[in-house]
Amino acid sequence: MAEFKKSEINIEVLLDENRVPEALFWSAEDGDVYKEEAKAMLLSMWDSNAKETLRIDLWTKDMPVDEMKKFFHQTLVAMSDTFNRATQDEKMTATMKDFCDYFAEKMELIKK
């Protein structure tokens, strides 16, 4: 039987008295990341049995709105790249990239 290596990614969430995130930290030993602070995270996992996405979306209460807009834009761009690598669907990838450009323009993330 093949021997498997185990790799862990840990997420620590510090909550206030109302269970609102105060701070987020993540660690990934294989990537030499130890308790790095983050202001927001989006985690999606595919449940193959239920055929649906499981999600955790968290952000700290001091996450600035302008940074949240950039975070979403960069996440959308990354999702387009991942979609392309996973499907090789160039036409839909281009459509997704067009939306990313539109999003950036409407959020005033790019100069005209």
Side-chain angles (χ1 to χ4, degrees):
M1 185 162 105
E3 202 169 308
F4 293 99
K5 182 181 183 330
K6 180 178 169 183
S7 180
E8 291 187 15
I9 299 171
N10 295 296
I11 300 166
E12 182 177 323
V13 183
L14 302 181
L15 304 171
D16 70 9
E17 64 279 354
N18 296 315
R19 301 187 52 81
V20 175
E22 286 274 353
L24 299 170
F25 299 94
W26 70 286
S27 300
E29 189 173 316
D30 283 355
D32 292 325
V33 178
Y34 301 97
K35 280 205 162 190
E36 287 290 325
E37 187 170 9
K39 293 291 181 188
M41 65 166 272
L42 304 173
L43 175 66
S44 298
M45 308 209 30
W46 181 249
D47 181 335
S48 187
N49 293 325
K51 303 289 189 251
E52 65 184 21
T53 302
L54 307 174
R55 295 181 19 228
I56 300 173
D57 305 331
L58 295 174
W59 57 93
T60 60
K61 56 179 147 186
D62 65 342
M63 173 73 168
V65 172
D66 63 324
E67 289 184 22
M68 183 62 91
K69 291 176 182 180
K70 289 178 188 176
F71 175 57
F72 264 82
H73 177 256
Q74 291 175 13
T75 299
L76 291 169
V77 170
M79 288 175 63
S80 300
D81 294 338
T82 302
F83 179 81
N84 189 41
R85 283 194 318 275
T87 67
Q88 290 81 49
D89 186 332
E90 298 291 335
K91 187 175 179 183
M92 184 51 71
T93 297
T95 300
M96 293 171 73
K97 295 282 189 179
D98 287 344
F99 175 76
C100 292
D101 292 343
Y102 174 80
F103 182 93
E105 182 181 327
K106 292 299 179 184
M107 292 289 105
E108 300 178 347
L109 300 176
I110 56 175
K111 305 252 190 243
K112 293 182 186 178

